[in-house]
Amino acid sequence: MKIVIIGGVAGGATAAARIRRLDEQAQITVFERSGHVSYANCGLPYYIGGVIGDPEELTLQTPESFFSRFRVTMKVKHEVTAIHPDRKAVSVKNLENGEEFEESYDKLILSPGAKPTQPEIPGAGLETLFTLRTVEDTFRIKEYVEKNHPKSAVLAGGGFIGLELAENLRGLGMDVTIVQRPKQLMNPFDPDMAVFIHGEMRKHGIKLALGRTVEGFARTKDGVDVLLKDGKPLHADMVVLAIGVTPDTRLAKDAGLELGIKDSILVNDRMETSVPDIYAVGDAVQVKHYVTGKDALISLAGPANRQGRVAADNVCGGDSRYPGSLGSSVIKVFDMTAAATGINETAAKKAGIDADKVVLSPLSHAGYYPGGKVMTMKVVFEKETYRLLGAQIVGYEGVDKRIDVLATAICAGLSAKGLKDLDLAYAPPYSSAKDPVNMAGFMIDNLSKGILKQFHLEDVPSLPADGSVTLLDVRTVFEYGRGHVEGFRNIPVDELRERLGEIEPGKPVYVMCQSGLRSYVATRILAGNGFDCYNFSGGFRFYDAVTHDRGLVENAYPCGMNR
């Protein structure tokens, strides 16, 4: 059997290696138009910043090592220019000598990936304007930085590449500004969780121009101006476009394959395209989202690798299925870690799902063991069914562990209430006996039983100010004095039982503390004494962070705060 694979990196290289492990006799050829057949895309920003010092560390396999191990012919700097399904052949051009030829196949796997989105705006071709997707892109940026020693950079786009590159350029001493059309960084996160990422970026000197649209670029004698809609231009020595990627599917389109979102390649769960004996994997394909079941584009290395394995199994006569993509991701943001899985609250509402959430701020490990740090967790679930939809965590140690547990729970079909029953590893340096994931489960279980009733950040502005409800802050007098939400009176939780007479009976009581734990204790005291009470999800710490983030809409939460 003769197999041709177009494109290496995650999907194509994985498929090639898997086919060889399943079929020692198969003839496998991979055509890759770049000079590198298998490289670490996710490590590219860290090479530019010098964290990864040796460029060879970016190359996971070479054509020689791949042939030595797997007897797979890797032809780099060979571009496939056309697919001919009628005669099961591809046209190929050798980019080094210009030679053109045809290669036949029995089975064809497309792994063309995605290309940086290039807006058609004035100045898009300037030599000081870069994109970052391939090793060649990386070397171009690295060479420019080492040769010209730029003092400033503007990054258009606030996703994974934008944030990672911003950190690395900042580490080189540059003045860095991120311009982003949405009013937040990192779309996998809800706005109320993205604020913690904003804070960490600003803490390290990154300037954020959120809610701003780039309209073009203009060369100047000492750099480039980034032209903004309804705003003054931003001047910099260099600009990097990191506004996202677009499926690179010209070949598939020209060959008559059915296409989907943004001209991505339509495949079934066997990774088969609409044309017999042609498969497709990676960033170029449309998949089903694991949670919503809806069509999606998810450009991540993990899904691409798994899709390559599925395609390889089926090429070799198996019957493997790809269940869909969950979109689990994690990113280093200077000293902080941010991670997400499934869908966020914003996406759930757009999908028409009646969603609820819990927000909590647990320590990364046991409080009595030195060095524990607070993380902020938001777990999203479907009302009534308690189906687990997704989660977001921002913090320091242990973030990746918890998000992976939650991703596993979603894939296993565990309900949000079931998080309380997970038997997770515990030792004081690593966790608490009640792990943060368990704590989220306890909270959701309490909600399901009516033991806990919540109110959220978006509810605060509409709380009556006419005295028909009681607004109660149960932190210490010192904490309350440092800042509180206007209208909330202070009775510390440890004094609450002795001061119940100060709370008018018959009125609903809305309770707040620093993180939501003491206020939960207070609601149980109040409920035990006949009060109808609600706990503020996330606590004052969460409220304070969100309402003071400059990336969000001005006066989005106009209830006010006394400091």
Side-chain angles (χ1 to χ4, degrees):
M1 180 168 57
K2 186 175 183 181
I3 298 116
V4 169
I5 300 173
I6 301 175
V9 197
T14 295
R18 176 68 172 172
I19 291 170
R20 174 58 71 226
R21 289 193 292 268
L22 296 176
D23 186 346
E24 182 64 19
Q25 307 307 318
Q27 180 183 339
I28 310 167
T29 302
V30 178
F31 293 111
E32 168 61 47
R33 65 186 169 198
S34 77
H36 303 270
V37 73
S38 182
Y39 56 87
N41 287 73
C42 301
L44 301 182
Y46 299 100
Y47 173 66
I48 293 170
V51 177
I52 298 172
D54 186 350
E56 292 188 3
E57 294 292 331
L58 298 171
T59 304
L60 305 178
Q61 290 278 1
T62 65
E64 294 76 20
S65 68
F66 222 100
F67 185 82
S68 177
R69 178 68 56 86
F70 298 110
R71 293 300 187 268
V72 170
T73 302
M74 293 282 189
K75 292 186 175 291
V76 297
K77 296 186 179 178
H78 280 68
E79 181 176 12
V80 174
T81 57
I83 301 169
H84 311 289
D86 54 336
R87 58 179 185 271
K88 299 185 81 168
V90 295
S91 297
V92 186
K93 182 177 182 179
N94 184 327
L95 299 180
E96 290 187 303
N97 60 23
E99 176 194 358
E100 297 185 17
F101 60 93
E102 277 198 5
E103 187 83 23
S104 63
Y105 65 82
D106 295 312
K107 304 284 185 180
L108 177 66
I109 299 177
L110 307 181
S111 180
K115 54 189 177 183
T117 302
Q118 294 266 25
E120 295 183 2
I121 54 179
L126 293 177
E127 65 275 6
T128 50
L129 186 63
F130 301 90
T131 58
L132 180 57
R133 181 68 179 176
T134 66
V135 172
E136 286 81 3
D137 293 337
T138 308
F139 291 161
R140 244 186 322 270
I141 296 174
K142 182 82 168 177
E143 181 182 2
Y144 179 83
V145 169
E146 291 179 344
K147 181 178 179 180
N148 296 281
H149 306 290
K151 298 285 194 300
S152 59
V154 169
L155 310 182
F160 290 96
I161 291 294
L163 266 65
E164 290 168 348
L165 189 55
E167 177 177 343
N168 280 277
L169 295 180
R170 185 67 183 149
L172 295 175
M174 290 192 207
D175 182 32
V176 180
T177 302
I178 296 177
V179 182
Q180 170 87 330
R181 181 181 295 175
K183 293 182 179 294
Q184 68 165 87
L185 301 175
M186 295 297 294
N187 285 335
F189 294 80
D190 284 314
D192 55 10
M193 293 295 289
V195 300
F196 296 98
I197 300 173
H198 298 169
E200 186 72 3
M201 298 295 282
R202 293 185 178 116
K203 172 184 170 184
H204 287 85
I206 304 294
K207 300 180 180 69
L208 304 180
L210 304 177
R212 312 302 293 270
T213 300
V214 175
E215 290 195 318
F217 308 95
R219 189 197 318 252
T220 66
K221 62 180 181 181
D222 58 349
V224 57
D225 280 346
V226 181
L227 309 178
L228 302 180
K229 182 179 181 180
D230 302 325
K232 294 181 180 179
L234 296 174
H235 182 75
D237 296 327
M238 62 180 291
V239 175
V240 180
L241 282 177
I243 58 177
V245 294
T246 302
D248 191 357
T249 57
R250 179 190 60 79
L251 286 174
K253 187 175 184 179
D254 291 347
L257 276 64
E258 289 187 26
L259 304 179
I261 302 170
K262 292 185 178 179
D263 281 347
S264 57
I265 303 171
L266 279 181
V267 293
N268 59 20
D269 60 359
R270 288 170 49 87
M271 308 313 298
E272 295 170 321
T273 70
S274 59
V275 174
D277 295 322
I278 300 182
Y279 299 75
V281 301
D283 295 352
V285 305
Q286 176 178 293
V287 297
K288 297 292 183 184
H289 196 285
Y290 195 91
V291 173
T292 65
K294 296 189 176 185
D295 296 332
L297 292 177
I298 297 179
S299 300
L300 294 169
N305 275 285
R306 294 192 296 277
Q307 291 160 17
R309 180 185 175 93
V310 169
D313 286 356
N314 295 323
V315 161
C316 294
D319 187 24
S320 291
R321 307 279 172 160
Y322 185 70
S325 296
L326 193 56
S328 301
S329 60
V330 63
I331 185 172
K332 176 183 179 294
V333 185
F334 290 99
D335 300 325
M336 186 175 274
T337 300
T341 189
I343 58 173
N344 59 29
E345 183 184 9
T346 305
K349 290 180 178 178
K350 285 182 179 178
I353 300 173
D354 190 13
D356 201 355
K357 74 267 189 178
V358 292
V359 179
L360 57 158
S361 301
L363 284 174
S364 56
H365 59 242
Y368 59 83
Y369 188 89
K373 294 184 178 180
V374 172
M375 64 178 73
T376 304
M377 294 178 61
K378 181 176 184 178
V379 179
V380 183
F381 57 93
E382 187 174 33
K383 290 182 181 177
E384 304 300 329
T385 69
Y386 291 92
R387 177 168 65 110
L388 191 56
L389 301 175
Q392 302 148 66
I393 311 177
V394 181
Y396 300 89
E397 298 171 358
V399 168
D400 54 340
K401 169 186 173 179
R402 274 67 186 216
I403 208 70
D404 284 343
V405 170
L406 289 159
T408 303
I410 294 173
C411 287
L414 193 69
S415 80
K417 294 185 292 182
L419 297 175
K420 73 183 192 306
D421 299 318
L422 290 175
D423 195 348
L424 303 174
Y426 157 63
Y430 304 104
S431 184
S432 300
K434 297 176 182 177
D435 188 86
V437 174
N438 294 138
M439 290 298 299
F442 295 149
M443 294 169 67
I444 296 167
D445 184 60
N446 282 339
L447 283 170
S448 73
K449 295 174 178 175
I451 295 171
L452 170 65
K453 292 190 288 186
Q454 299 185 112
F455 68 109
H456 298 290
L457 193 96
E458 61 268 24
D459 301 320
V460 174
S462 60
L463 291 176
D466 58 2
S468 59
V469 301
T470 298
L471 307 179
L472 186 62
D473 187 321
V474 296
R475 294 176 297 156
T476 65
V477 172
F478 175 74
E479 288 174 298
Y480 181 82
R482 292 182 63 187
H484 58 271
V485 179
E486 185 178 344
F488 279 71
R489 57 178 297 198
N490 182 224
I491 301 178
V493 65
D494 292 337
E495 301 175 14
L496 185 57
R497 288 183 178 89
E498 289 71 35
R499 297 175 62 179
L500 285 174
E502 299 177 29
I503 303 173
E504 188 174 342
K507 292 182 179 180
V509 185
Y510 291 82
V511 190
M512 180 180 290
C513 73
Q514 187 68 10
S515 69
L517 179 56
R518 283 175 288 172
S519 52
Y520 168 63
V521 173
T523 63
R524 297 314 302 151
I525 294 171
L526 292 164
N529 285 276
F531 290 91
D532 178 26
C533 44
Y534 301 82
N535 187 35
F536 181 68
S537 177
F540 181 81
R541 170 183 172 272
F542 185 70
Y543 176 92
D544 191 25
V546 176
T547 55
H548 283 86
D549 183 75
R550 286 171 282 162
L552 298 182
V553 179
E554 196 74 21
N555 299 322
Y557 304 98
C559 57
M561 180 183 299
N562 293 325
R563 286 171 107 35

